[in-house]
Amino acid sequence: MDKLLIQGGTPLTGEVAMSGAKNAALPILCASLLAAEPLHFTNVPELNDISTMRRLIGQMGVEVTLDGDDGLILDSHGLHNPTAPYDMVKTMRASILVLGPLLARCGEAKVSLPGGCAIGARPVDQHIKGLQAMGAEIHVEHGYILARASRLKGARIVTDMVTVTGTENLMMAAVLADGETVIENAAREPEVVDLANCLIAMGARITGAGTDSICVHGVERLHGARHAIMPDRIETGTYLCAAAVTGGHIRLTNTSAAYLDSVLQKLREAGCEVTAESSAIKLKAPPRLKAVSIRTAPYPAFPTDMQAQFMAINCVAEGSAVIRETIFENRFMHAVELIRLGADIRIDANNALVTGVACLDGATVMATDLRASASLVIAGLVAQGETLIERIYHLDRGYERIEEKLTRLGAKVKRVH
Ligand code: UD1
């Protein structure tokens, strides 16, 4: 299994381009199941999760063709097997995103229940309830969701909590339904908007994406389209934190400050100078950051996917900060690894009190999930001496060519096989 070896202490400087957003690309690849004509996507990141999704829809009968460095052409006219087997779903929870499109296009779907994961139980009851409200017959048998509907019917759906993939699944199911569907308490994440824009380009009639009430008028069929995946706001935030904690000065291109208000505000509060350009962000860090408290919540509030990275920067900042996680019940696993590097962190239920120390010491640590891994990279970049991060397959799920991008910014990082 690959490991990442980091020699800490070098301020990040220079310029690097950000990739397309994993969390936008995954639902958008599933949207290809809705039309029998080719879809051409660009700015698709090369990540393990994207390969898994390509394999998953490939075994359903979708033809996948690579086009240049970051392009994919998906043709699902031959879709014949509306099944997502356990072996694939267990490696990537986002596989549940095929449920809505398969049901809408094929009238049936057999999708393995994802089960829990390291950061929490993460049930999919809201996906199921929403589809049932649209007239689907759903049974759970032997660990599989078995869904049927001759044609889904428009419905008014109020989700119990804000769910990103839940909103995306229901929106994709509704585009081919008979009549109007309104999703209330919808997720407002930019990735939901990117998916809606792609569906609209395919002929869907959607209004309200980006608000908490999305209205979809079902159409008979969708057609082929071209769509460029939005930039990855979490990758961008992660590199900004890495530059901030090392006292660096960087410019990130192919990205946008528009989706990062809450994160940029906290980086400014920590003492960084942040400049937004039309498709780039510049950050200049002070010699030492000030600790900043955060509370995660659905967009546009502070993203849970940036919580671990901010815990890492607070570990060496001046003062104390409280980190409150409100989305997932078990998302502090990086704290124990950061403590192994010398951090002062006290956990009380979903609150972490982090008191900055003068320096962290390199050590061997273990990545436990995607964003936890990112926090360990950030800590390793500022720690004294060498940090060896084990199980970096988590990182490869969500950060494209991470060691190459960090090296371009002057970091001393090596992948060890
Ligand atoms: C998505 C993102 C993930 C991010 C998360 C929260 C993708 C592929 N993943 O995950 O990176 O961390 O949003 O911003 O886009 N819940 C239920 N029942 C449901 C659905 C959700 O109880 O049917 C709960 C979850 O357990 C969690 C909360 O709702 O506590 C929010 O989860 P949700 O927004 O659905 O997360 P994902 O869409 O899985």
Side-chain angles (χ1 to χ4, degrees):
M1 251 185 279
D2 286 4
K3 301 173 185 186
L4 208 61
L5 185 64
I6 304 178
Q7 176 74 48
T10 312
L12 298 193
T13 54
E15 186 170 304
V16 74
M18 296 292 95
S19 302
K22 168 181 86 74
N23 286 355
L26 291 171
I28 286 173
L29 294 194
C30 296
S32 70
L33 296 166
L34 287 161
E37 293 179 15
L39 285 139
H40 193 153
F41 301 127
T42 52
N43 206 30
V44 182
E46 204 182 318
L47 298 167
N48 285 355
D49 274 10
I50 300 295
S51 316
T52 306
M53 187 58 88
R54 279 170 43 191
R55 274 203 310 281
L56 178 65
I57 59 176
Q59 58 86 42
M60 292 175 188
V62 178
E63 268 173 41
V64 184
T65 317
L66 299 181
D67 181 46
D69 281 350
D70 64 4
L72 274 186
I73 300 168
L74 303 188
D75 186 345
S76 78
H77 80 272
L79 175 65
H80 59 81
N81 177 30
T83 304
Y86 176 66
D87 275 357
M88 286 182 169
V89 176
K90 76 173 181 202
T91 64
M92 185 181 66
R93 290 183 46 83
S95 310
I96 189 69
L97 284 164
V98 299
L99 180 61
L102 286 178
L103 193 55
R105 166 101 182 271
C106 308
E108 58 173 333
K110 180 179 175 189
V111 177
S112 170
L113 271 174
C117 76
I119 62 175
R122 301 180 82 177
V124 291
D125 55 312
Q126 302 301 309
H127 304 232
I128 293 177
K129 276 193 210 163
L131 293 172
Q132 282 170 330
M134 295 168 78
E137 245 181 67
I138 300 188
H139 303 282
V140 176
E141 270 172 34
H142 306 298
Y144 276 84
I145 303 168
L146 306 176
R148 247 173 216 291
S150 50
R151 186 174 180 198
L152 293 168
K153 292 189 178 49
R156 184 164 181 276
I157 301 164
V158 186
T159 57
D160 293 348
M161 76 286 294
V162 177
T163 155
V164 178
T165 47
T167 302
E168 291 166 344
N169 231 339
L170 297 175
M171 187 164 71
M172 287 193 280
V175 292
L176 292 180
D178 181 17
E180 182 185 276
T181 300
V182 179
I183 308 167
E184 300 285 6
N185 201 23
R188 292 180 282 170
E189 266 66 4
E191 292 76 14
V192 174
V193 179
D194 204 32
L195 170 64
N197 288 339
C198 173
L199 292 168
I200 291 168
M202 294 165 69
R205 293 176 60 203
I206 302 172
T207 53
T211 75
D212 60 5
S213 176
I214 299 179
C215 181
V216 184
H217 287 267
V219 296
E220 291 280 335
R221 67 183 56 80
L222 297 180
H223 50 72
R226 290 179 75 91
H227 182 80
I229 308 291
M230 66 174 281
D232 197 316
R233 64 190 168 106
I234 306 301
E235 184 195 30
T236 304
T238 302
Y239 281 90
L240 291 176
C241 284
V245 81
T246 58
H249 187 181
I250 61 166
R251 181 168 181 267
L252 303 178
T253 58
N254 187 34
T255 188
S256 169
Y259 326 111
L260 276 160
D261 280 344
S262 58
V263 171
L264 299 187
Q265 196 178 314
K266 287 293 169 185
L267 286 167
R268 288 190 178 111
E269 216 178 296
C272 298
E273 224 177 87
V274 183
T275 318
E277 299 171 13
S278 62
S279 57
I281 304 177
K282 272 200 292 206
L283 178 140
K284 187 164 184 269
R288 191 173 185 198
L289 298 171
K290 291 194 280 277
V292 283
S293 292
I294 56 165
R295 176 182 178 275
T296 66
Y299 190 85
F302 192 91
T304 174
D305 285 351
M306 284 300 302
Q307 179 258 104
Q309 298 88 320
F310 269 73
M311 186 181 285
I313 69 173
N314 277 319
C315 287
V316 287
E318 193 187 326
S320 299
V322 176
I323 307 231
R324 177 169 296 182
E325 171 60 52
T326 75
I327 308 282
F328 293 111
E329 64 271 25
N330 191 25
R331 208 172 196 184
F332 280 152
M333 282 166 310
H334 40 283
V336 281
E337 298 299 308
L338 291 169
I339 290 168
R340 299 195 66 250
L341 298 172
D344 178 351
I345 304 171
R346 263 165 260 177
I347 307 277
D348 177 14
N350 64 341
N351 295 309
L353 175 67
V354 187
T355 303
V357 295
C359 66
L360 296 176
D361 286 324
T364 298
V365 286
M366 198 187 295
T368 47
D369 69 67
L370 172 55
R371 307 305 170 185
S373 316
S375 77
L376 297 178
V377 172
I378 291 168
L381 288 169
V382 71
Q384 286 185 341
E386 278 186 357
T387 297
L388 183 67
I389 306 178
E390 298 192 340
R391 298 201 181 167
I392 58 156
Y393 56 84
H394 291 292
L395 270 179
D396 295 332
R397 292 186 45 207
Y399 290 92
E400 189 178 40
R401 292 180 276 112
I402 187 165
E403 67 272 32
E404 189 185 315
K405 290 190 185 187
L406 286 172
T407 304
R408 185 165 303 172
L409 295 172
K412 298 198 175 80
V413 178
K414 204 164 67 183
R415 184 177 288 255
V416 187
H417 296 291

